[in-house]
């Protein structure tokens, strides 16, 4: 019977080891970068985009924070918010709608939309888009040029031209305003003067690319890029169950990781089980002592 006295302690150690280490192989970086619903039922956002409410730590690229409401999902670019109409993760493209342009057959662009040179460094707006140039309320203009009839105001006429096709003329001198707007390639077809409204409603596309430096090294090692304490500071590489400062190959100092709920439950269960084992052990030796001290008359 004495050899069995260590059995409860052995069982407890086995339980504790398997509880803590048994599920580690099933963990993946995906659990640290979960997708989230945004802008209504069925609209899901995932890495490298992240929710705007994640202010102190997020998993994704800098500047890829998305603001969500009941009906909209918005991204902040070039000092303005743009509604997201589609995200294609296979070709890394983002389709955005123009802001402050009312749905109409003959809309007027109130100001310059995002331009080719103002696009953030991680986005490329030159692929899949065309630039339209609008000149509004011109008092003098070249003869025989087709104008936007629905925007004519008395003798003042308005015009639209494709990038590279604007006739030589002092438009800025004789027109009240001149603005530019990006539209997707497939939205521009047929008569531009009559179809520019539909082209504007189709929005424009942005192609995103992988950041250079630490993020590139992190993703190459199977990790996900993240940041602590602000939008662009304190880079972390989110790996399986761990966070490194460089990549998932163990390079860089290991940062502090908040305990996952799974491990909290395991710890609580281990404490309860350990208490039961200790109680059973004490009871066992107490009963054994009583039996050993009993002497029949």
């Amino acid at each position: 019977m004495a050899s069995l006295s260590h059995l409860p302690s052995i069982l407890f150690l086995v339980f504790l080891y398997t509880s803590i280490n048994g599920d580690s192989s099933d963990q993946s970086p995906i659990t640290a970068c979960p997708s989230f619903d945004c802008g209504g039922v069925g609209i899901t956002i995932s890495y490298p985009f992240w929710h705007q409410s994640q202010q102190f730590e997020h998993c994704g690229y800098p500047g890829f924070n998305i603001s969500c409401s009941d009906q909209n999902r918005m991204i902040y670019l070039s000092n303005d918010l743009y509604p997201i109409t589609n995200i294609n993760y296979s070709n890394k493209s983002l389709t955005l709608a123009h802001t402050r342009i009312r749905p109409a057959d003959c809309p007027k662009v109130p100001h310059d939309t995002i331009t080719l040179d103002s696009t953030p460094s991680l986005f490329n707006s030159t692929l899949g888009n065309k630039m339209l140039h609008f000149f509004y309320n011109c008092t003098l203009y070249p003869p025989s040029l087709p104008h936007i009839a629905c925007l004519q105001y008395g003798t003042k006429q308005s015009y639209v031209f494709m990038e590279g096709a604007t006739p030589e003329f002092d438009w800025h001198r004789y027109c009240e305003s001149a603005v530019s707007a990006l539209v997707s390639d497939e939205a521009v077809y047929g008569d531009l003067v009559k179809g520019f409204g539909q082209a504007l409603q189709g929005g424009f596309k942005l192609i995103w690319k992988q950041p250079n430096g630490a993020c590139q090294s992190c993703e190459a090692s199977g990790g996900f890029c993240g940041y602590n304490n602000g939008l662009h500071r304190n880079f972390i590489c989110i790996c399986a169950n761990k966070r490194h400062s460089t990549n998932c190959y163990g390079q860089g100092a290991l940062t502090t990781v908040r305990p996952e709920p799974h491990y909290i439950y395991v710890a609580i269960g281990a404490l309860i089980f350990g208490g039961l084992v200790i109680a059973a052990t004490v009871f066992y030796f107490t009963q054994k002592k009583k039996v050993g001290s009993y002497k029949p008359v």
Side-chain angles (χ1 to χ4, degrees):
M1 296 294 292
S3 62
L4 299 177
S5 62
H6 300 291
L7 182 60
S9 300
I10 295 174
L11 291 176
F12 169 69
L13 292 175
V14 172
F15 170 80
L16 184 62
Y17 177 83
T18 54
S19 298
I20 295 178
N21 298 289
D23 293 334
S24 62
S25 61
D26 296 332
Q27 300 295 322
S28 66
I30 296 295
T31 60
C33 305
S35 58
F36 57 93
D37 293 331
C38 179
V41 180
I43 300 176
T44 303
I45 307 294
S46 60
Y47 182 88
F49 300 94
W50 48 279
H51 202 289
Q52 177 69 46
S53 63
Q54 299 172 335
Q55 297 178 355
F56 299 102
E57 177 179 326
H58 64 266
C59 181
Y61 295 167
F64 280 50
N65 47 306
I66 293 181
S67 174
C68 298
S69 64
D70 293 338
Q71 300 296 329
N72 294 315
R73 42 186 175 171
M74 313 278 285
I75 189 169
Y76 188 76
L77 297 172
S78 298
N79 301 319
D80 210 343
L81 281 172
Y82 289 88
I84 301 173
T85 59
N86 185 54
I87 300 179
N88 190 322
Y89 292 94
S90 60
N91 60 18
K92 297 182 179 181
S93 67
L94 189 69
T95 304
L96 306 179
H98 290 290
T99 57
R100 302 182 182 91
I101 297 181
R102 297 179 180 180
D105 293 333
C106 190
K108 185 176 181 179
V109 183
H111 58 79
D112 283 340
T113 63
I114 189 170
T115 57
L116 298 179
D117 56 351
S118 66
T119 309
S121 59
L122 293 183
F123 291 100
N124 189 335
S125 59
T126 61
L127 300 176
N129 295 313
K130 288 183 172 63
M131 183 70 78
L132 301 184
H133 296 294
F134 293 88
F135 301 95
Y136 294 118
N137 296 333
C138 304
T139 56
L140 186 65
Y141 32 81
S144 304
L145 280 180
H147 66 281
I148 304 175
C150 59
L151 292 179
Q152 184 169 349
Y153 183 72
T155 59
K156 298 179 180 180
Q157 295 183 357
S158 299
Y159 297 85
V160 58
F161 305 103
M162 195 81 69
E163 176 76 18
T166 304
E168 292 187 6
F169 184 73
D170 196 353
W171 296 100
H172 294 277
R173 179 179 179 181
Y174 296 105
C175 301
E176 290 182 1
S177 62
V179 299
S180 302
L182 278 177
V183 294
S184 61
D185 287 341
E186 57 266 23
V188 181
Y189 58 90
D191 189 344
L192 178 61
V193 174
K194 295 181 179 180
F196 75 93
Q198 186 176 357
L200 288 173
Q201 297 304 322
F204 59 97
K205 291 183 179 180
L206 295 179
I207 306 297
W208 75 79
K209 55 185 177 181
Q210 183 188 55
N212 295 324
C215 185
Q216 189 174 23
S217 174
C218 172
E219 289 188 340
S221 67
F224 290 79
C225 304
Y227 294 83
N228 268 324
N229 190 24
L231 303 184
H232 307 280
R233 293 180 294 170
N234 299 338
F235 173 81
I236 53 176
C237 183
I238 302 175
C239 309
N241 302 327
K242 296 181 180 179
R243 286 166 169 80
H244 289 273
S245 61
T246 306
N247 55 49
C248 296
Y249 296 138
Q251 301 296 323
L254 187 65
T255 58
T256 302
V257 182
R258 290 174 293 187
E260 299 290 339
H262 169 76
Y263 296 108
I264 295 177
Y265 299 145
V266 169
I268 295 175
L271 289 175
I272 296 175
F273 182 80
L276 293 175
V277 170
I278 293 174
T281 303
V282 172
F283 178 79
Y284 170 78
F285 283 108
T286 301
Q287 294 299 318
K288 182 178 179 181
K289 183 176 181 182
K290 288 181 179 180
V291 174
S293 62
Y294 175 74
K295 297 180 180 180
V297 180

